[in-house]
Amino acid sequence: MKEHESGLGAYIKLFFQRRFNLHLDKANEEEVVSAIKANTVFVGPSLWTLIFAIFIASIGLNVNSTAVIIGAMLISPLMGPIIGIGLGIGTNDLALVRQGGRNLLIAALISIATSTLYFYITPLHDAQSELLARTTPSIWDVFIAFVGGLAGAIAVTRKEKSNVIPGVAIATALMPPLCTAGFGLASGNLLFFAGAIYLFFINSLFICISTYLIVRFLKFNKKYFENKNTEKKVSRYILITVLVTVLPSIYLAYGIVQKSIFESSAQRLIREEFNFSNTQVVNKSFKYSRNSREIDLLLIGAELSKPTVDSIRSKLSVYNLQGTKLIIRQGLDARANVDFSQIKASIMEDVFNRDSLAKKTVSANKDDSEIPEIREEIKSLFPAIKSYSIANKIYMNTDTLKKDTVLQFTATLNGGMPVSEKGKLEKWLKARLTSQKLKIILQ
């Protein structure tokens, strides 16, 4: 029995070793290092490619076109220096770390300058949704950068190159934050600039960390120094550089996680506790910092009573929001610090939806009112019919979003009706009701 169990364990171990072996199809180490070093430098064609990609991405953000932004990220060469820094850290190559860092800084400055120029001269100055999405990093950006970096590092160490690197460039979105930073400078919005630069920094850092982990896992040879003191100095410089870069980012990433959890809990609170038939939340804002948290809500409709508000506040701990200040604004008095544009937009949307529904109802009623009176004719021509109804019906398709409006004739029979009589009834109704979209139901 023990031999059987040990044999099964060995088989499972061998299965996982073969299936998840990263050393399979691994390229020659010297070739990998040489290719990565070549991609860390921005001169000539690569620099012009970067500039043109920045212009394309800026236009995509400006006109809110996801397809254009993806195209720009596909041709962007920004991944090269970041992977180079990760490789340099993993192999104790201080020169490569410096080269990658210098070229990444040059690329970032040129990208920001290019996008600033574009957003300064463009006639479109509104911040679209694609652009706003790059102003505030979230925990998902950290996860995507880290996992994407792992995939990218594995891809560059393979013999057969695949489409992984372009996919990583799209997923980690290195270029749009730099374009957003340019928009912030061009529009004088320093908060946009700071948020976008922070997002770019987070993405770059975690791609770099991922590359380092893969390089060490694959046991790339570290740079050899004849002088051991020099080797120790290089290792120490790299360690100091990594710590200075990584430790603040871990602290900031922790803040991103806490903020994301807070906002998710706040949304759940609003969704579950402010579900009133005569009261609606028309504006909400969340403020999060290390020392304070605040949820600010504006309500319209019937005012909530003090016991109701107190009851909601007592449930904050249920949503992990203990210590959060809940501000509920009711009524539109002059003292309330209210964003009236938000209220106007919400009310206009509600009015538009109600108006559209009313128009559809009126249209349907109008169509029904135009149906001719045929009771006496039905009685004389088809005596088997006891009662009937005629109405326009909307039929929804389950496999598409298409809707069909059909005139439906439903009749209750005294007894049976011959097939020939049913055919005669269908032809007569189509001619009498002047409708080819006719559905007949006989009961």
Side-chain angles (χ1 to χ4, degrees):
M1 183 67 178
K2 290 182 178 180
E3 291 181 1
H4 175 73
E5 289 178 357
S6 62
L8 179 62
Y11 173 78
I12 294 173
K13 182 179 179 182
L14 180 62
F15 172 83
F16 280 100
Q17 284 179 342
R18 291 178 59 188
R19 289 287 175 181
F20 296 95
N21 189 358
L22 283 181
H23 292 276
L24 294 176
D25 193 40
K26 178 186 171 184
N28 180 274
E29 187 174 316
E30 292 182 359
E31 294 178 0
V32 173
V33 173
S34 177
I36 292 176
K37 284 183 176 180
N39 288 329
T40 60
V41 182
F42 281 102
V43 291
S46 60
L47 185 58
W48 281 108
T49 301
L50 174 66
I51 292 172
F52 295 144
I54 284 291
F55 270 119
I56 295 171
S58 297
I59 294 170
L61 290 168
N62 200 197
V63 300
N64 214 40
S65 172
T66 304
V68 173
I69 298 169
I70 290 174
M73 289 188 286
L74 278 171
I75 62 178
S76 165
L78 277 172
M79 285 285 292
I82 300 172
I83 292 178
I85 295 171
L87 175 65
I89 295 172
T91 58
N92 273 359
D93 191 340
L94 184 59
L96 181 56
V97 174
R98 287 174 176 169
Q99 178 178 302
R102 182 172 60 251
N103 281 279
L104 182 61
L105 178 61
I106 292 171
L109 292 176
I110 290 175
S111 298
I112 294 172
T114 303
S115 59
T116 302
L117 174 63
Y118 170 80
F119 284 111
Y120 185 76
I121 63 177
T122 180
L124 305 176
H125 298 292
D126 292 334
Q128 304 291 345
S129 60
E130 286 287 350
L131 192 145
L132 291 172
R134 272 79 185 191
T135 59
T136 307
S138 69
I139 184 57
W140 308 115
D141 295 308
V142 175
F143 288 148
I144 291 169
F146 181 70
V147 178
L150 291 174
I154 292 172
V156 297
T157 58
R158 302 301 97 189
K159 290 179 183 177
E160 295 293 331
K161 305 303 178 185
S162 63
N163 61 351
V164 173
I165 291 296
V168 172
I170 294 172
T172 54
L174 292 167
M175 183 169 289
L178 292 177
C179 296
T180 303
F183 173 85
L185 288 180
S187 61
N189 193 325
L190 295 182
L191 289 178
F192 277 19
F193 174 80
I197 289 295
Y198 178 35
L199 177 57
F200 175 75
F201 171 75
I202 287 288
N203 285 349
S204 301
L205 178 67
F206 280 89
I207 293 171
C208 184
I209 292 173
S210 301
T211 304
Y212 166 78
L213 293 175
I214 294 297
V215 165
R216 292 317 318 139
F217 182 83
L218 294 176
K219 294 181 171 60
F220 272 51
N221 294 320
K222 291 189 175 183
K223 191 171 183 180
Y224 174 74
F225 296 89
E226 292 185 2
N227 189 327
K228 293 298 180 182
N229 290 330
T230 304
E231 182 176 355
K232 288 180 180 179
K233 285 183 180 179
V234 169
S235 299
R236 188 160 54 246
Y237 290 150
I238 290 177
L239 178 61
I240 293 172
T241 303
V242 170
L243 290 176
V244 168
T245 307
V246 171
L247 290 180
S249 70
I250 293 175
Y251 175 78
L252 295 172
Y254 175 77
I256 293 175
V257 173
Q258 294 302 310
K259 182 180 178 183
S260 298
I261 293 173
F262 165 70
E263 291 181 350
S264 177
S265 300
Q267 293 283 10
R268 192 162 68 92
L269 169 74
I270 295 169
R271 186 170 59 252
E272 296 179 5
E273 299 298 333
F274 288 86
N275 186 20
F276 301 101
S277 57
N278 297 321
T279 306
Q280 183 179 353
V281 178
V282 293
N283 192 24
K284 56 190 175 185
S285 65
F286 309 133
K287 296 179 183 179
Y288 176 85
S289 67
R290 300 280 180 182
N291 301 320
S292 65
R293 297 181 296 175
E294 183 179 293
I295 301 173
D296 193 338
L297 305 177
L298 174 65
L299 312 182
I300 61 171
E303 290 195 12
L304 302 181
S305 64
K306 189 177 184 302
T308 302
V309 173
D310 291 340
S311 174
I312 293 173
R313 286 199 171 102
S314 67
K315 295 179 182 178
L316 288 175
S317 59
V318 176
Y319 298 90
N320 295 320
L321 294 170
Q322 52 270 23
T324 300
K325 184 179 181 181
L326 178 60
I327 301 173
I328 300 177
R329 304 179 189 276
Q330 302 188 79
L332 301 180
D333 56 54
R335 294 170 295 175
N337 183 18
V338 174
D339 185 353
F340 284 94
S341 62
Q342 291 279 353
I343 303 171
K344 183 178 178 181
S346 178
I347 294 174
M348 288 300 293
E349 181 181 5
D350 187 54
V351 170
F352 175 77
N353 291 335
R354 291 173 183 270
D355 187 53
S356 298
L357 180 62
K359 286 181 178 179
K360 289 179 181 178
T361 304
V362 170
S363 178
N365 292 338
K366 182 180 178 182
D367 291 339
D368 289 344
S369 66
E370 291 177 354
I371 297 173
E373 174 59 50
I374 57 174
R375 187 174 65 85
E376 293 298 330
E377 296 169 72
I378 287 283
K379 184 178 179 180
S380 60
L381 293 173
F382 304 99
I385 296 177
K386 181 180 179 182
S387 61
Y388 71 92
S389 66
I390 307 174
N392 285 293
K393 299 289 184 180
I394 299 176
Y395 283 81
M396 318 267 206
N397 297 308
T398 57
D399 54 345
T400 67
L401 296 176
K402 185 179 179 182
K403 298 179 182 179
D404 291 323
T405 301
V406 177
L407 187 62
Q408 181 173 299
F409 177 87
T410 306
T412 302
L413 304 177
N414 286 317
M417 179 179 281
V419 176
S420 58
E421 194 73 3
K422 290 180 182 178
K424 179 182 175 183
L425 173 64
E426 181 178 357
K427 289 181 181 179
W428 181 80
L429 285 171
K430 285 182 178 179
R432 185 69 179 83
L433 301 175
T434 62
S435 174
Q436 294 301 311
K437 279 192 174 183
L438 180 67
K439 183 178 181 64
I440 300 176
I441 300 175
L442 301 177
Q443 301 173 341

